[in-house]
Amino acid sequence: MTDLTALALDALIFIGLAWTAWRVLQRSIPIAVIPIIIGLLLAATGVLPASWGVPSKLGDQIGFLGVLLLAFTAGLETRQSAHLPSAANAAPLPRPQALRFIASAGMALLLPFVAGTLAAHYYFTGLPGWEAPKGGAWMGSLAIGLCIAVSALPVLIGIIRELGPLHRPLTQIALRIAVIDDAVLWTGLALLLLAAEGGSLLASASPLTAVAVGVLVVLAFAGRLAQRAQAAPPAWAVWIALPVFLVAGAWASSQLGLHALLGAYFGGAMVPSTWSRRVPVERLGQFALIGIAPLFFGHSGLKIDGSVLGWASLQASLALLVVAVAAKLVAVLACPPSATLSRRDALAVGALLQCKGLMEIVAATILRDKGLLSEHAFAALVTLAVLSTLLTGPFFRALVKRRVTADAHGRHAV
C-alpha cells in the first residue's frame, strides 16, 4: 500500500470518522477525546489490518505538526487573555483579591500534584508494568503527579464556550486559574525533564546547546521589547513572525534534550499580546484541533500495547480519576479563589479545573518518550484524560443546577 493511500485511510479514521461521530453526538463530547477513544478501541480489539499501513508515517508527521500548533496556540492563549471568553473587558483584580486568587491557583495545582505523586509512589508504581524505564521510582511518581495536576486550558476554553454565558462568572474564574496552572505545568514539565536528563545534558553539551539557549533568550527578549513598542506591526508581518517563534522555540528545546512541544509552547507565550490580537488565535487552534492534531491523538491511543488495556488498566484509571477529582475539589474548598463564593460555587469551579483534556495527553506523551512513564502508566493516564474530560461538563452542570434549584426554593420560601 502506498504512503498516500495509508495517509488517506489514516485521515479517514482519525479525522473523518472522529468528526462524524462528534456531529452525530451533537457535539456533546469534546472532539479532542474522540480520536483517542477510536485509537484505544482499535488497539484493544486489534481489528485494524496491518496491511492498511495505519498509523502511517506521513500521518505521524502531520499529526505532530498539528500538536505543535496546538501547543503554540496554548502559549498564545496563556499570554493573550483577550482570547478567553469575555476576558477582554475583565477588570484587573485588587491586590488582596489577586493574592488570594494566585494562592488558590497554587493550591489547585500543588495539592493534586502532591496527592498524585504520593499515590503513585506508594501504590501505582508498585503495580506490574508501572515502573518507569528511566529515572527511578521517584521520578516516575513525580511524572504521574504532574499529569494528575493538569488543568487543560485549550479544551477547557472549548467546554466553557459550549456552556454559554449563563454561568460566565464561575467559568471565568476557572479560566483565570487554568491560565496560571497551564503556564506552571509547562515550566514544571521542563524542570522535571531537566532533572531527569541533567547528567546526560551536561555530558552532551555542544556549541549547538549554547545556540539553543541563546535562541530562547532572544525570543524572550524580542517578545518583551515588542510588547513595549507603542505601534503594533501590520498583520502580514505578524503572520511572518509567528512561524519564526514556533520553529525557533521547538528547535531550541529539542537541542536542549527537552521536547519540541515545550519549545512550541514557550514560543507562543513569548509572542507579544499586541501581535497575537492581530491574528485569529482561536481559529488556528480549532484548525489544529479538528483538522490535523487528531492524527497525533489517534495514534497515541493506537500505539498503546493492546495487552495493557484491560480491566486492571481501567481500574487504575478510575482510581487516578478519584484522586485527581478529589484533590482539585479539596483544593478549591480549602483555598477558594474568591471570598464571595459559596461552597457549591467553589465545587463547580473545581469541577471545571479537574478537566485533563489534551494537555495531560501531551504531557504524558512527552514523559513516556523520555522514559519517565511506562506503557501501563501511559495507557492509564490517557484513559484518565478521556474520562476526566467527559466528566467535566455534566459534573459542572449538575452542581450548578442544584445551586439554581436551591436558590429558587429559597426565593419561594421567602
Side-chain angles (χ1 to χ4, degrees):
M1 184 172 291
T2 66
D3 290 343
L4 288 178
T5 304
L7 174 61
L9 288 171
D10 217 350
L12 183 64
I13 294 171
F14 295 114
I15 298 177
L17 180 59
W19 184 85
T20 302
W22 182 56
R23 295 306 297 263
V24 167
L25 295 171
Q26 299 181 341
R27 304 182 184 183
S28 59
I29 296 176
I31 192 172
V33 306
I34 296 179
I36 304 166
I37 294 173
I38 293 173
L40 289 172
L41 290 174
L42 291 175
T45 59
V47 298
L48 193 64
S51 60
W52 285 15
V54 177
S56 65
K57 188 174 295 184
L58 284 174
D60 269 340
Q61 296 168 352
I62 294 173
F64 186 69
L65 288 176
V67 81
L68 275 178
L69 183 56
L70 267 181
F72 184 68
T73 55
L76 290 173
E77 288 171 328
T78 301
R79 181 73 175 267
Q80 171 53 281
S81 61
H83 296 297
L84 302 180
S86 82
N89 300 318
L93 296 173
R95 183 176 177 81
Q97 293 183 27
L99 291 176
R100 181 189 182 100
F101 192 87
I102 293 172
S104 180
M107 179 66 77
L109 193 65
L110 181 62
L111 184 58
F113 174 69
V114 172
T117 299
L118 294 177
H121 185 72
Y122 291 107
Y123 177 70
F124 289 104
T125 54
L127 298 175
W130 276 67
E131 185 177 355
K134 292 172 57 180
W138 273 111
M139 278 294 178
S141 300
L142 288 170
I144 294 173
L146 192 68
C147 292
I148 293 293
V150 170
S151 292
L153 178 62
V155 172
L156 188 56
I157 290 173
I159 291 175
I160 284 174
R161 287 194 176 102
E162 293 174 4
L163 290 173
L166 179 61
H167 310 298
R168 188 57 51 82
L170 293 179
T171 58
Q172 186 62 36
I173 290 173
L175 276 179
R176 286 186 172 186
I177 294 176
V179 166
I180 298 172
D181 288 355
D182 196 60
V184 175
L185 161 71
W186 289 94
T187 303
L189 186 58
L191 292 175
L192 185 61
L193 293 178
L194 283 172
E197 301 282 349
S200 60
L201 182 60
L202 292 175
S204 61
S206 67
L208 275 180
T209 305
V211 172
V213 173
V215 166
L216 295 178
V217 172
V218 168
L219 286 180
F221 180 76
R224 181 175 292 273
L225 191 64
Q227 183 69 29
R228 292 180 178 178
Q230 296 295 327
W236 64 265
V238 175
W239 279 107
I240 293 175
L242 289 184
V244 174
F245 275 81
L246 169 57
V247 173
W251 176 85
S253 62
S254 297
Q255 290 298 319
L256 291 174
L258 304 175
H259 202 285
L261 291 173
L262 288 170
Y265 176 86
F266 177 82
M270 291 302 102
V271 173
S273 58
T274 53
W275 290 21
S276 58
R277 287 193 186 101
R278 301 184 66 84
V279 295
V281 175
E282 181 186 343
R283 289 185 182 179
L284 285 175
Q286 287 179 341
F287 168 72
L289 180 63
I290 297 175
I292 310 177
L295 290 169
F296 175 88
F297 294 110
H299 290 184
S300 296
L302 183 59
K303 290 178 181 177
I304 294 175
D305 185 355
S307 64
V308 309
L309 294 172
W311 177 237
S313 177
L314 181 59
Q315 283 181 309
S317 299
L318 292 173
L320 288 171
L321 180 65
V322 170
V323 172
V325 173
K328 287 286 185 183
L329 297 181
V330 171
V332 293
L333 284 176
C335 187
S338 173
T340 61
L341 289 181
S342 66
R343 286 194 174 187
R344 190 170 294 280
D345 286 343
L347 288 174
V349 171
L352 293 174
L353 291 176
Q354 65 80 36
C355 177
K356 298 289 176 278
L358 302 181
M359 288 301 101
E360 187 201 315
I361 297 170
V362 170
T365 300
I366 294 172
L367 293 167
R368 181 194 61 175
D369 291 346
K370 295 298 181 180
L372 297 181
L373 287 177
S374 68
E375 284 295 325
H376 284 75
F378 177 72
L381 288 169
V382 169
T383 307
L384 164 64
V386 172
L387 295 175
S388 168
T389 306
L390 293 176
L391 176 65
T392 303
F395 191 17
F396 176 82
R397 290 188 186 95
L399 289 169
V400 172
K401 184 177 180 181
R402 289 181 182 179
R403 184 195 66 169
V404 172
T405 302
D407 290 345
H409 284 317
R411 286 193 297 270
H412 287 313
V414 173

